[in-house]
Amino acid sequence: MASALLWAVPLFAQSDSIIHRDVEAVDVEAHRQKRQAVPMQTMSAVEIQQLGVQNLADAVRRFSGTNVKDYGGVGGLKTVSVRGLGAAHTAVSYDGVVVSDCQAGHIDIGRFDIGSIETIALTIGQPDGLLQSASAFAQAAMLSISTRKPNFAKRQTDASVRLKGGSFGYFDTQVEAARKVRHSTLSGTAQFMRSDGDYRYTIPNVDTTETGRRDNSDIRSARAEINLTTADSSRFQNHLKAYGFYSERGLPGSVIFYYQQANERLADKNFFVQNDCRLRLRDNLIFRIQAKYNYSWNRYEDTNVKYANGRRVDLNTQHEGYLSMAGLWSWRPIDVSLAGDVIYNTLESNMMGNPQPRRLTIISALNVRAALQRFVATATLVARHASEKVEFGSRPDDLKRLTPALSLKWSNNRVTIRAMAKKTYRVPTFNELYYTTLGTTRLKPEEARELNVGFDFGTGKFDFSADFYANDVDNKIVAIPTLYIWKMANYGKVKIWGADVAAGTEFDIAEVRLKLTANYSYQKAIDVTDSNSKLYKSQIPYTPLHSGKAAAVATFGKYSLSATSIVSGKRYFLEYNIPENEIEPYTEFSATATRRFDIGGSQLTASLSCLNITDNQYSVIKYYPMPGRQFQLQLNFFL
Amino acid sequence: MKKQFIKILSLCVLGAATIFVSCDKDEDDEKPEVKTEKRVYILNEGSWGANNSTLDVYYPDGENTYQSKIFASANGQGLGDTGQDLLTYGNRIYVSVWGSNYLAKLDQKGKIVEKYEFSAEEGQPRQLAAKDGFIYVSTYGSKVIKFDTAAIVAPKGSVEVGPHPEEICISGNTLYAAIAGDYTVAYDSTLAVVDLATFSLKDKIVVGLDPTNVVALGDNLYVIHYDTATWAQEILEVNTTAKNSTVFDGGVKMATDGESLYYVKSYTDYSDYPNTKTVTSFAKKDSNASPLDLTATPELSSATVYLFVIDPENGDFYVGTTDYVTNGVIYRFDKDGKFITKFETSGISPNSAAFLK
């Protein structure tokens, strides 16, 4: 029994803590990062605070194998692509339920608040737990965000207040309160954030430099969440969440030499309500039902004399209905899970030529796992059917695809050896299909194949892991020009291979606990679309061959001190690999000091961070400069 | 104690960090002078948002035939974003830079003599034309703006012509502007007719949806417009007295030597999209033979032509191609259509060429 349940434990254990109370303590906590059949990396709330991590993108870029496209500043778009596959291949889940954006395809991870996160986990390939929605198995990688759960160790009420302030007019405050009543917990969160984002930049221009301040880079956002969790013995657990988000920001655009006219504004509204329910019907049978309704709205506005009436306003509204049912049966040594998702998406837009598309997607996933002593094998089959309706014009063909995945693992107390092969694809986004003149409904899905072999070695004091991978992307969806008209097409082929190596150690010197971690990634991602092209075998844009991260944390009593660095080798910002198209390598250093104060039974932590200490003027996306040196003070009060 | 740990920490982090940071590449300081023999200046548009527009010079008569990025060499800074149009007038070079929003007067070495930055109301600059000591610029503020070549630091007048004016041309004392229209709302389909004596809008001639190019030849105008349903481009012959137009052929670029109209025809077969097939050919109006002999350059018959210019002095043809990603290639043919040479430019999408002697 224990083994069956162990496999059912999802990547982040909180929401399973009731059903799997027996296994959680031993397995999940101790081996959260290790012993998986696929590469998995996590970061906890404690690490986030100790390392002075600014936002979710800043956390994810510290993982190996990731490529975070960051357009700079608090409000700049931030998307995560894993191992060269492109952002739309990474699913993001928020408290267990997958977040989607059928219009853009990628998720702006800058939107999620880092302060309420308890754990972030990035899995490449298959999720390790079997009791997941079918959507979770249908993606090449998954970024799972789980928010903090209230702590009722001392009393039936839990509350916390957070204040953050920093350079460039950054201010952020959040209040959380929770109350426990018998088997249920009701909690609420309210957050407000603002930033001017008017940081200085310096960009070389031949023999001179262009200097300026980011203009129209301000953002304000507000968020509220209500959670109701109910757990009745080990048989039933339910998590109901309502989430509301609003933001209004300026889009500073790329730095254009000699002229800055930045008038673009973007407002976003997002509301969802989701329910995640687990039922243990018998000792060897668990069900999980997830349901969600999501509303998202955005308004893009640009003011420029080139538009009729001097203004352009795009309005987009998306609705999503989502239902997922999954069951896990266990007959030792075989576990079987079956999941089925039904998803309905709509887009309403005022943009010229938008046919108001509606999409119905049905995904099923079958998993079979065999655990024989130290050896575990999992086979997965995902079937997807998608069909679209439009008000006018053409629509894409119905889509029916079957994709397999296989993972193998051998482990003992110290060593895990793993191998994984997976095929996935992503469905074209509404923008790719229908965007004015650019979109085309003839698109096929973009396919991704992943192969990974790797191992972990861990003694508790010293951990080491190495993974080697070979991926390829086929039928890549790109905008290509035909004469003077650009349209989306399934044109590209990309081959990617690389290695992610990570090491960590933790030891004491006198009363000081020292934790050192470092990782290095090598990634070759080349365009193999056309052997007659000048671009054949060129490294794809924004993909450094070498990158690495290092962090050191020293804790002594109530103090902790950290230093981190992020290093990226040269990249190209355009497809053609010539020196003019290079982006310089960069290194960013940050340091954070934290002190804990115990006030009665309550706790206050204060952190002071200096980010980008050397004031390095670099950019991730060419001509979207990143902020220079900045300071941040954070106060967290826990009742 | 505490200090020691900070030291250890920073050493570890620094050590790990420096491994990947490579040394800076060395700068090449050689900046040869622009020579005074006959020159062809070539403007590379670059890619939008990448500040990579460049200006090159080609010497058609000399030995050392090409110099790259002369604007950057002369000014110590780049042209900026999206060089839009280029012309030479009275021993000066005029360049409009759309993204970076300015009009510059350059000396023969490419050094800025004067520069005008357009206001938000005037809008960003597009195409250029010159006559009688004045430079005219179409702007996305629905205007054509007039500058005195003696001093371009302030405009000498402006006239409202319609949304998104593109190419402008001058015939006699009249300026014609192709009005493409704001694509986010509706395409336009007119030519604006501006009287240069009074610098006022005199008339509008309806031609065809989304007109982008206009050239004058004799009493007629020739206009390229998009058929927005199929995205094919065709050439219209416009009779300015009768104010009507007729389609005479498909075409994507035009040029004239003052006697005949030469044009580039490109057709794309989309039936097996995205495996498209584009066929490009060259034509002379009222002639059945191709004006250019492509036997030495068969790649041109499937290329996307971005620049098509005739040397007004000797009738040589310059054909520039783009793939929007790699540096452009210019093909030169003599007036009889015989291939002379081809060369790579210093940037993406060469879009205009202008001559000086």
Side-chain angles (χ1 to χ4, degrees):
Chain A
M1 186 63 232
S3 107
L5 288 176
L6 194 150
W7 305 126
V9 172
L11 312 177
F12 39 93
Q14 294 75 22
S15 45
D16 268 65
S17 57
I18 304 302
I19 291 181
H20 307 300
R21 188 182 282 147
D22 47 344
V23 290
E24 183 202 12
V26 259
D27 201 74
V28 176
E29 283 304 321
H31 302 287
R32 187 178 269 155
Q33 281 174 271
K34 305 299 164 192
R35 304 185 127 202
Q36 306 283 345
V38 296
M40 176 175 169
Q41 301 165 79
T42 63
M43 192 180 277
S44 68
V46 173
E47 290 168 298
I48 287 166
Q49 183 164 18
Q50 283 179 342
L51 298 176
V53 173
Q54 297 174 75
N55 54 51
L56 187 57
D58 190 27
V60 173
R61 70 176 177 154
R62 289 164 200 275
F63 292 151
S64 58
T66 59
N67 189 356
V68 172
K69 285 195 176 170
D70 187 338
Y71 287 76
V74 175
L77 176 70
K78 292 160 180 57
T79 63
V80 56
S81 139
V82 171
R83 291 182 171 179
L85 295 176
H89 286 279
T90 305
V92 176
S93 80
Y94 192 68
D95 277 337
V97 183
V98 173
V99 178
S100 79
D101 182 338
C102 284
Q103 187 180 14
H106 55 244
I107 304 291
D108 181 2
I109 59 170
R111 204 184 78 189
F112 300 101
D113 173 55
I114 190 88
S116 5
I117 291 174
E118 179 141 315
T119 325
I120 308 159
L122 178 73
T123 15
I124 297 169
Q126 282 303 82
D128 218 38
L130 287 191
L131 192 62
Q132 312 256 3
S133 66
S135 306
F137 294 105
Q139 294 280 347
M142 175 109 152
L143 180 69
S144 309
I145 303 161
S146 34
T147 57
R148 190 166 42 241
K149 303 297 171 286
N151 177 4
F152 298 115
K154 282 173 281 183
R155 49 178 86 80
Q156 297 291 87
T157 307
D158 185 33
S160 70
V161 180
R162 183 186 78 205
L163 286 170
K164 261 166 105 175
S167 311
F168 320 122
Y170 175 67
F171 175 75
D172 182 352
T173 183
Q174 177 177 292
V175 180
E176 280 182 329
R179 174 89 191 156
K180 188 174 183 180
V181 183
R182 300 187 53 184
H183 297 303
S184 298
T185 300
L186 182 66
S187 67
T189 305
Q191 187 214 347
F192 171 79
M193 188 271 288
R194 72 167 316 279
S195 169
D196 294 324
D198 54 344
Y199 53 90
R200 290 201 163 277
Y201 62 82
T202 305
I203 296 175
N205 176 9
V206 190
D207 303 333
T208 59
T209 51
E210 298 296 317
T211 57
R213 260 185 197 282
R214 283 311 251 164
D215 180 31
N216 193 41
S217 186
D218 60 298
I219 180 168
R220 286 169 300 146
S221 77
R223 177 180 65 99
E225 285 188 39
I226 296 169
N227 292 285
L228 177 66
T229 55
T230 309
D232 177 18
S233 72
S234 63
R235 302 216 157 263
F236 171 75
Q237 187 194 343
N238 195 68
H239 183 182
L240 176 68
K241 175 191 275 291
Y243 173 103
F245 172 83
Y246 174 79
S247 79
E248 202 282 327
R249 72 187 78 185
L251 304 173
S254 68
V255 171
I256 299 289
F257 289 168
Y258 322 126
Y259 180 55
Q260 277 295 303
Q261 187 187 12
N263 297 322
E264 293 171 297
R265 306 291 305 180
L266 180 69
D268 280 287
K269 281 184 212 166
N270 182 207
F271 169 78
F272 65 77
V273 53
Q274 69 183 37
N275 194 58
D276 188 357
C277 174
R278 286 153 211 255
L279 275 171
R280 190 162 79 179
L281 296 185
R282 289 204 299 271
D283 274 355
N284 66 340
L285 176 59
I286 307 173
F287 271 116
R288 183 174 181 186
I289 302 160
Q290 294 174 319
K292 182 179 185 177
Y293 163 73
N294 184 77
Y295 163 86
S296 59
W297 171 95
N298 68 60
R299 179 181 194 276
Y300 164 86
E301 181 183 315
D302 190 16
T303 308
N304 189 311
V305 68
K306 73 183 177 188
Y307 302 118
N309 311 317
R311 223 157 57 117
R312 171 181 178 168
V313 178
D314 294 346
L315 294 167
N316 298 293
T317 306
Q318 290 186 76
H319 297 274
E320 178 177 83
Y322 176 88
L323 180 67
S324 168
M325 302 223 256
L328 169 65
W329 293 264
S330 178
W331 299 279
R332 273 188 84 181
I334 304 288
D335 298 330
V336 175
S337 83
L338 184 64
D341 294 7
V342 180
I343 312 158
Y344 188 68
N345 292 93
T346 66
L347 168 67
E348 292 150 31
S349 171
N350 70 337
M351 282 155 79
M352 198 163 88
N354 186 288
Q356 321 300 329
R358 287 155 289 159
R359 176 185 289 169
L360 179 68
T361 310
I362 298 166
I363 310 176
S364 318
L366 173 69
N367 291 282
V368 180
R369 173 169 286 171
L372 296 162
Q373 294 180 346
R374 289 179 169 163
F375 187 75
V376 181
T378 310
T380 304
L381 202 57
V382 174
R384 172 151 36 189
H385 181 276
S387 134
E388 260 167 74
K389 282 189 175 151
V390 287
E391 294 290 306
F392 56 84
S394 57
R395 64 177 197 91
D397 294 338
D398 285 1
L399 183 135
K400 287 172 201 148
R401 289 281 175 104
L402 211 56
T403 48
L406 183 68
S407 69
L408 303 170
K409 176 179 103 158
W410 179 92
S411 59
N412 69 12
N413 290 338
R414 292 191 162 187
V415 178
T416 302
I417 299 167
R418 58 176 162 258
M420 178 268 295
K422 185 171 186 176
K423 186 175 173 182
T424 53
Y425 59 90
R426 71 169 187 92
V427 178
T429 66
F430 284 152
N431 275 347
E432 288 162 345
L433 293 165
Y434 306 111
Y435 198 90
T436 316
T437 75
L438 189 70
T440 170
T441 53
R442 294 196 208 179
L443 293 176
K444 293 180 289 213
E446 178 178 307
E447 289 166 17
R449 284 182 291 269
E450 297 169 280
L451 277 178
N452 185 81
V453 290
F455 69 94
D456 294 333
F457 170 80
T459 62
K461 284 195 167 177
F462 177 76
D463 293 310
F464 180 83
S465 75
D467 281 278
F468 305 91
Y469 61 90
N471 297 344
D472 60 333
V473 178
D474 207 348
N475 278 326
K476 190 171 173 162
I477 300 173
V478 287
I480 56 164
T482 307
L483 281 176
Y484 317 104
I485 306 290
W486 292 69
K487 275 196 172 299
M488 303 309 299
N490 292 104
Y491 185 65
K493 269 192 178 57
V494 182
K495 276 200 183 301
I496 307 140
W497 61 93
D500 294 331
V501 181
T505 179
E506 210 170 336
F507 54 90
D508 295 318
I509 302 175
E511 297 100 79
V512 179
R513 164 136 293 213
L514 202 58
K515 190 176 170 187
L516 305 172
T517 52
N519 66 53
Y520 163 78
S521 293
Y522 170 85
Q523 190 180 121
K524 185 91 182 158
I526 56 170
D527 179 345
V528 290
T529 309
D530 175 8
S531 59
N532 296 318
S533 162
K534 282 188 205 173
L535 303 178
Y536 189 62
K537 294 193 172 174
S538 294
Q539 182 84 353
I540 59 170
Y542 294 116
T543 315
L545 210 53
H546 306 283
S547 59
K549 296 97 190 180
V553 183
T555 337
F556 35 109
K558 291 173 177 172
Y559 297 91
S560 92
L561 199 60
S562 77
T564 67
S565 76
I566 293 175
V567 186
S568 173
K570 78 167 183 199
R571 295 137 288 149
Y572 294 96
F573 69 96
L574 295 173
E575 291 86 345
Y576 196 24
N577 289 183
I578 54 172
E580 282 96 325
N581 295 342
E582 270 177 34
I583 312 186
E584 296 282 299
Y586 71 82
T587 308
E588 196 199 273
F589 295 100
S590 296
T592 297
T594 307
R595 170 138 169 35
R596 197 183 75 229
F597 302 89
D598 294 316
I599 308 164
S602 306
Q603 205 182 73
L604 175 75
T605 60
S607 301
L608 180 67
S609 300
C610 179
L611 311 164
N612 193 359
I613 296 168
T614 57
D615 199 24
N616 189 2
Q617 296 290 310
Y618 74 98
S619 63
V620 175
I621 303 297
K622 185 76 172 176
Y623 298 124
Y624 283 86
M626 296 290 283
R629 185 186 305 120
Q630 46 179 324
F631 295 93
Q632 229 170 62
L633 179 67
Q634 180 174 349
L635 300 174
N636 282 319
F637 177 76
F638 298 98
L639 188 68
Chain B
M1 184 82 185
K2 204 167 163 182
K3 263 187 187 163
Q4 208 180 334
F5 283 112
I6 298 170
K7 216 171 170 182
I8 294 171
L9 291 188
S10 38
L11 277 176
C12 293
V13 176
L14 271 167
T18 41
I19 298 169
F20 312 112
V21 183
S22 65
C23 279
D24 240 34
K25 57 183 179 291
D26 50 327
E27 294 278 317
D28 47 315
D29 281 317
E30 267 179 61
K31 285 172 186 169
E33 285 283 290
V34 172
K35 292 181 285 187
T36 51
E37 63 188 78
K38 181 174 176 177
R39 281 143 287 159
V40 187
Y41 294 96
I42 290 160
L43 178 66
N44 296 296
E45 188 174 291
S47 46
W48 183 74
N51 294 305
N52 59 352
S53 190
T54 55
L55 182 67
D56 300 340
V57 64
Y58 169 68
Y59 303 98
D61 302 337
E63 286 272 316
N64 177 20
T65 55
Y66 204 75
Q67 270 171 254
S68 292
K69 301 183 181 174
I70 60 154
F71 183 95
S73 306
N75 297 288
Q77 55 183 20
L79 256 181
D81 191 65
T82 316
Q84 189 72 34
D85 199 8
L86 177 77
L87 62 75
T88 47
Y89 188 81
N91 280 324
R92 291 281 189 251
I93 308 161
Y94 296 85
V95 58
S96 59
V97 187
W98 186 75
S100 293
N101 190 42
Y102 68 89
L103 169 72
K105 178 161 85 177
L106 314 178
D107 71 11
Q108 300 188 19
K109 293 172 184 169
K111 190 166 173 57
I112 297 176
V113 179
E114 281 179 325
K115 185 172 170 179
Y116 179 75
E117 290 167 19
F118 293 86
S119 70
E121 293 71 42
E122 288 167 333
Q124 288 161 267
R126 301 294 288 182
Q127 308 297 117
L128 306 173
K131 189 176 186 334
D132 297 337
F134 292 98
I135 295 280
Y136 299 89
V137 186
S138 57
T139 70
Y140 267 8
S142 305
K143 295 177 178 68
V144 170
I145 300 179
K146 177 180 173 180
F147 293 89
D148 188 339
T149 52
I152 65 156
V153 287
K156 290 288 173 195
S158 85
V159 55
E160 290 275 333
V161 289
H164 294 209
E166 294 291 353
E167 191 165 39
I168 52 180
C169 78
I170 294 170
S171 174
N173 218 18
T174 309
L175 180 144
Y176 298 92
I179 310 300
D182 174 6
Y183 63 92
T184 62
V185 183
Y187 291 101
D188 206 292
S189 55
T190 59
L191 278 184
V193 184
V194 175
D195 177 25
L196 288 183
T198 58
F199 202 50
S200 58
L201 184 69
K202 199 165 69 176
D203 207 354
K204 285 242 178 167
I205 304 174
V206 176
V207 282
L209 270 180
D210 197 9
T212 51
N213 303 71
V214 55
V215 299
L217 180 66
D219 292 336
N220 286 331
L221 295 175
Y222 295 90
V223 171
I224 292 179
H225 86 111
Y226 272 102
D227 176 343
T228 51
T230 62
W231 294 107
Q233 288 168 284
E234 55 192 13
I235 301 180
L236 307 170
E237 187 174 68
V238 183
N239 183 321
T240 52
T241 31
K243 291 189 201 171
N244 59 21
S245 62
T246 48
V247 179
F248 91 83
D249 204 351
V252 297
K253 296 281 168 198
M254 306 180 285
T256 163
D257 57 1
E259 285 172 17
S260 304
L261 182 79
Y262 296 87
Y263 56 99
V264 184
K265 292 168 72 166
S266 287
Y267 289 107
T268 302
D269 178 3
Y270 285 96
S271 60
D272 186 27
Y273 189 82
N275 300 311
T276 56
K277 205 178 157 198
T278 296
V279 178
T280 292
S281 61
F282 297 84
K284 180 183 180 181
K285 190 171 180 290
D286 305 324
S287 159
N288 288 328
S290 169
L292 302 182
D293 176 8
L294 303 188
T295 47
T297 60
E299 69 272 24
L300 269 181
S301 51
S302 60
T304 296
V305 175
Y306 217 63
L307 173 154
F308 184 54
V309 176
I310 298 173
D311 183 338
E313 192 188 51
N314 60 17
D316 282 1
F317 294 91
Y318 290 85
V319 179
T321 62
T322 186
D323 61 5
Y324 303 95
V325 181
T326 65
N327 290 343
V329 178
I330 305 276
Y331 299 82
R332 179 183 168 204
F333 297 83
D334 72 10
K335 67 174 178 8
D336 301 318
K338 195 168 150 274
F339 173 70
I340 300 173
T341 184
K342 65 174 179 180
F343 48 88
E344 193 180 297
T345 69
S346 72
I348 299 167
S349 301
N351 65 11
S352 4
F355 302 84
L356 259 189
K357 232 193 134 170

